[in-house]
Amino acid sequence: MIATSDFLGHLNPSQRRAVEHHCGPLLVVAGAGSGKTRALTFRIANLILKHQVNPENILAVTFTNKAAREMKERIQKLFSEQLAMQYHSTKFDLLPEYEQTKLKSQVYKNTIKDLWCGTFHSLLSRILRFDIEKYQDEKGRQWKRNFSIFDESDAQSLVKEIVTKQLNLDDKKFNPRSVRYAISNAKNQGFSPKELERERPDYKGRTIAQVYGIYQDRLAENNALDFDDLILIPVRLFQQNEQVLKYWHHKFRHILVDEYQDTNRTQYELIRLLATNGETNKSLWDWDKRSAFVVGDADQSIYSFRMADFRILLEFQEDFGDGLPDEETQTMVKLEENYRSCENILQAANELIENNTQRIDKILKATRGSGEQIYAHKADDEIAEAEFAIHQIRTLERENPDINWGSFAILYRTNAQSRPFEDILVRQGIPYSVVGGLKFYDRKEIKDVLAYLRALANPADTVSLLRIINTPRRGIGKATVDNLVNAAQELGVNLWEILSDETSVNTLAGRSTKSVNKFAKMIGDWQTQIETVSVSEVLQAVLEGSGYIKDLKTQGTDEAEDRLQNVQELYNAALQFEEDSDDVSLQAFLASTALSSDLDNLKEGSEAVSLMTLHASKGLEFPVVFLVGLEQGLFPNYRSMNDPAALEEERRLCYVGITRAQERLFLSHARERRLYGSREPAMRSQFFDELPEELLTTQSRRRMERRSKSPAFAVNGVDSNQNWQVGERVLHKAFGIGEITHVFGGGKKISVAIKFSGLGQKIIDPQVAQLQRMN
């Protein structure tokens, strides 16, 4: 047993109160940058160290896999530090490396290994691997433990096939993407196909419910689940099987949920069932040696389009807590001290969000200095806006040795806004990464190889078999595949049952018989190995035996070379998985790839400017943030203009963007912007008017400040100040009035690019040209 010192001594009073809470419900209202991960980490440690809770009885739900990894690493470090003092009477960091490794290994074996910590999807997929065979839905559909997890593109393809081919619906009236979205929303609200039809009895609703029902049939035929099923099916299972619910309720005695404001109704029901064993009478709930500890902030709820419902957080006190006022309650703690941002940034965020009505009152309090004013920039258009931002980035990077390209983030409302920024970053040779672009696991070659592995783990996965049966090309044509598929459908069996029967193949495959049999034998041989060899070995056998690697090498193109490198990176991912994971089965590896997100793979410390939507920025922080495109109709978007609830969500999104910034914050908007091929005038966002004017500085205000400190013009009318800014209007003796678009160099070696009406851009030395600033 670890001997505990007062390891909570570094927590602030509010954090400590939350961490030391033992049994019963508790809502932790955690403002941005208030140390909520720290509170969650220390709470888990306190439960284990002080209250002797077995790690396997703790369920910790995080919003991303990355957050789960970070939490486990922090707990491991915390316990290792305790052991270092107990065994060696010295700090962990002062021990030799081999002693550190021994302690970390001990902590992993005794604590981390048994802790259930991860996203809803990853944790519930583990539960379903145990118990899904005890479940059947309202139509009697059932699944086996070796189910596949279909990603969003798989699900989209399946819905499209049902809409356009099976039901021959008009895809303009029933856009497959919209139908898929409606099905996902139904699952997130806990609706089955029949329940959706009752909820939406009109023609369109009945038709979507019909597609939903067929979609579930097809998933079951493939022994596959989509992401939404990973939440909905455990809820249904717990509702229909008291013994299964009782087992998991008994196992998970302490439940922690991060980002509680982003839960949907199905996730809420899951937490309620696990915490209360399904008991609906609140007076009968037994909190002995049991707790429900949820952390969140209604002000950061930005995922309503995914059916997240921040009212779940607002209703916690009524649903679980004592319902008393904030100053009297024992079931709510507020974390209001911010450790991330300078005071000016926090004050702006506080003033902005106070315009919302649906929230729990709190004020972020700075623990750092006031910092610089927030810079508000008005650009001519989206190109000038991008030029301004990149110029500021280049200047700050050059002038501050403590920051690098990775210190900067450009945040925007829609993905389409990234283009002008990318164009300039490419031209100027500045490294950057777009978060939310094509994910690694969405690339064609990766999906091809993973389809092989999915077919091995789950032979009923017809979607994967169809993807790989002639990939790479092995002489199996569409007509042959159609014959095989039609036979399987007629007999009511999955495709693999036909492929694995040589007699059937000989009858149906015609001239492709030899190729089909060879393919089936190859898959069959690998299937016998997956229980006895490692994932990386299976993957290597597939890459070589299928001819996939050989095919890419034969193509000899740059694109093929890129794909080859990606496939090799997948092999590296398999090796990493085997090093990091407790469960190293092929099914566990496939689950980890299916549930991976681009945010999980965002590399911290990478020296590249980050470009991302505001939604993608949640949970991240950067020394310098550019929040761009702050214009009415764009941000807030036009759909929210006449909808008070939607406008409040847009404001929360702006609040999230502002609170990503640690040191510097730049806000920008344009006078006009190209929309749908034509230029349209733009009006600055109302959010500007909701920020305290004294916290903002602008180009003209800075110019006035400079003039108040020193003469703006020399005796001969030439400006002697070297601090030229993009966007300034200047007068040139020969060329007339122009606007500065770029500033190059610094000090005495400065030069500027100026756009003159009718003359284009010219690069000029301002000292030689004797430029004058215009008021």
Side-chain angles (χ1 to χ4, degrees), residues 25 27 282 314-332:
L27 167 63
K282 190 174 178 181
L314 298 180
E315 294 163 0
F316 181 90
Q317 285 287 68
E318 180 181 342
D319 292 348
F320 289 96
D322 55 26
L324 296 175
D326 291 7
E327 58 274 9
E328 299 174 26
T329 182
Q330 297 299 306
T331 55
M332 181 172 70

Side-chain angles (χ1 to χ4, degrees), residues 548-592:
Y548 203 91
I549 290 285
K550 181 180 178 182
D551 182 63
L552 289 175
K553 288 180 177 178
T554 302
Q555 290 177 34
T557 64
D558 289 343
E559 181 183 4
E561 180 60 31
D562 287 343
R563 289 185 171 181
L564 185 60
Q565 289 177 5
N566 287 333
V567 168
Q568 290 168 339
E569 183 58 32
L570 180 63
Y571 179 74
N572 293 338
L575 292 173
Q576 188 68 45
F577 169 80
E578 290 166 358
E579 290 177 12
D580 296 344
S581 303
D582 179 36
D583 180 356
V584 293
S585 66
L586 179 57
Q587 289 177 350
F589 175 68
L590 289 170
S592 73

Side-chain angles (χ1 to χ4, degrees), residues 50 179 262 393 574 584 611 721 748 765:
K50 182 176 179 182
V179 173
D262 292 326
I393 288 173
V584 293
L611 276 65
N721 194 320
K748 294 182 179 180
D765 183 331

Side-chain angles (χ1 to χ4, degrees), residues 420-477:
F421 297 93
E422 290 190 70
D423 288 347
I424 297 171
L425 287 165
V426 168
R427 281 205 308 268
Q428 299 202 15
I430 297 175
Y432 73 95
S433 86
V434 180
V435 178
L438 185 63
K439 292 193 296 182
F440 177 77
Y441 291 107
D442 283 342
R443 294 183 168 99
K444 177 189 180 301
E445 60 276 14
I446 302 303
K447 289 180 71 67
D448 287 344
V449 177
L450 290 177
Y452 274 96
L453 300 184
R454 279 174 27 178
L456 303 186
N458 174 23
D461 187 346
T462 297
V463 168
S464 292
L465 282 170
L466 289 174
R467 185 178 186 107
I468 64 176
I469 193 169
N470 199 40
T471 303
R473 296 187 183 279
R474 49 177 61 92
I476 303 174

Side-chain angles (χ1 to χ4, degrees), residues 79-197:
F79 276 61
S80 298
E81 288 169 348
Q82 295 288 313
L83 285 176
M85 293 304 298
Q86 180 180 343
Y87 292 162
H88 305 285
S89 301
T90 189
K91 291 183 178 180
F92 176 79
D93 294 338
L94 299 179
L95 291 174
E97 189 173 337
Y98 73 92
E99 289 289 353
Q100 292 183 7
T101 302
K102 278 175 59 179
L103 292 182
K104 287 172 68 175
S105 178
Q106 182 178 336
V107 170
Y108 176 82
K109 181 180 177 182
N110 296 334
T111 305
I112 306 301
K113 183 172 176 286
D114 294 328
L115 182 67
W116 282 61
C117 179
T119 63
F120 272 110
H121 293 93
S122 64
L123 294 170
L124 294 176
S125 68
R126 284 180 66 187
I127 288 176
L128 290 176
R129 296 290 179 194
F130 287 101
D131 285 330
I132 196 169
E133 290 177 359
K134 298 170 186 169
Y135 168 76
Q136 66 175 7
D137 70 8
E138 60 183 6
K139 197 181 173 184
R141 303 179 188 94
Q142 291 183 286
W143 284 261
K144 295 179 181 178
R145 292 183 184 182
N146 63 337
F147 59 83
S148 296
I149 301 173
F150 277 9
D151 64 19
E152 190 54 37
S153 64
D154 295 326
Q156 290 276 6
S157 298
L158 199 51
V159 169
K160 183 177 181 180
E161 185 180 323
I162 295 167
V163 168
T164 60
K165 295 181 180 178
Q166 191 165 346
L167 297 180
N168 294 314
L169 297 172
D170 183 346
D171 61 4
K172 291 192 173 104
K173 291 182 180 177
F174 294 94
N175 179 280
R177 186 175 293 274
S178 299
V179 173
R180 164 65 191 139
Y181 183 69
I183 292 171
S184 179
N185 282 351
K187 290 186 178 185
N188 284 324
Q189 294 176 81
F191 295 151
S192 67
K194 285 184 180 177
E195 289 166 335
L196 177 61
E197 187 173 356

Side-chain angles (χ1 to χ4, degrees), residues 266-532:
T266 310
Q267 293 165 337
Y268 164 78
E269 180 64 10
L270 183 97
I271 295 301
R272 189 191 70 80
L273 288 167
L274 284 174
T276 67
N277 200 28
E279 175 59 61
T280 55
N281 187 338
K282 190 174 178 181
S283 65
L284 298 179
W285 290 353
D286 179 12
W287 290 109
D288 180 44
K289 297 181 180 178
R290 177 177 294 281
S291 67
F293 182 94
V294 304
V295 182
D297 179 9
D299 292 340
Q300 297 185 73
S301 178
I302 59 174
Y303 293 111
S304 65
F305 66 95
R306 296 180 187 167
M307 303 307 293
D309 188 347
F310 69 94
R311 291 172 299 180
I312 292 170
L313 182 145
L314 298 180
E315 294 163 0
F316 181 90
Q317 285 287 68
E318 180 181 342
D319 292 348
F320 289 96
D322 55 26
L324 296 175
D326 291 7
E327 58 274 9
E328 299 174 26
T329 182
Q330 297 299 306
T331 55
M332 181 172 70
V333 173
K334 296 180 184 178
L335 305 185
E336 297 176 294
E337 291 184 59
N338 177 282
Y339 297 93
R340 175 188 299 158
S341 305
C342 292
E343 186 176 6
N344 284 340
I345 294 169
L346 291 184
Q347 192 176 337
N350 285 331
E351 294 268 354
L352 176 79
I353 204 64
E354 281 185 5
N355 289 280
N356 275 11
T357 58
Q358 294 186 294
R359 59 190 299 263
I360 295 173
D361 187 48
K362 71 175 191 319
I363 295 290
L364 290 179
K365 301 164 188 172
T367 59
R368 305 178 56 199
S370 59
E372 295 202 34
Q373 286 181 296
I374 298 166
Y375 195 101
H377 181 71
K378 181 178 183 179
D380 276 348
D381 56 25
E382 72 274 13
I383 305 299
E385 180 183 47
E387 288 174 338
F388 162 78
I390 307 310
H391 169 70
Q392 294 294 329
I393 288 173
R394 184 174 280 284
T395 301
L396 288 169
E397 192 273 342
R398 183 177 63 240
E399 294 178 353
N400 295 273
D402 295 333
I403 62 176
N404 57 48
W405 300 125
S407 304
F408 302 95
I410 299 173
L411 311 181
Y412 35 74
R413 182 63 181 81
T414 66
N415 275 309
Q417 289 172 255
S418 74
R419 184 193 57 78
F421 297 93
E422 290 190 70
D423 288 347
I424 297 171
L425 287 165
V426 168
R427 281 205 308 268
Q428 299 202 15
I430 297 175
Y432 73 95
S433 86
V434 180
V435 178
L438 185 63
K439 292 193 296 182
F440 177 77
Y441 291 107
D442 283 342
R443 294 183 168 99
K444 177 189 180 301
E445 60 276 14
I446 302 303
K447 289 180 71 67
D448 287 344
V449 177
L450 290 177
Y452 274 96
L453 300 184
R454 279 174 27 178
L456 303 186
N458 174 23
D461 187 346
T462 297
V463 168
S464 292
L465 282 170
L466 289 174
R467 185 178 186 107
I468 64 176
I469 193 169
N470 199 40
T471 303
R473 296 187 183 279
R474 49 177 61 92
I476 303 174
K478 183 179 182 300
T480 299
V481 173
D482 288 345
N483 285 341
L484 297 166
V485 170
N486 291 338
Q489 290 174 347
E490 286 289 326
L491 295 175
V493 299
N494 60 62
L495 179 60
W496 177 246
E497 290 195 36
I498 300 294
L499 291 176
S500 59
D501 180 62
E502 191 172 336
T503 302
S504 298
V505 172
N506 291 343
T507 304
L508 296 167
R511 288 180 296 178
S512 302
T513 296
K514 185 176 179 181
S515 295
V516 174
N517 281 327
K518 185 178 179 181
F519 170 76
K521 183 178 185 307
M522 177 176 68
I523 297 296
D525 288 345
W526 289 333
Q527 284 173 350
T528 64
Q529 300 175 29
I530 62 174
E531 299 295 335
T532 56

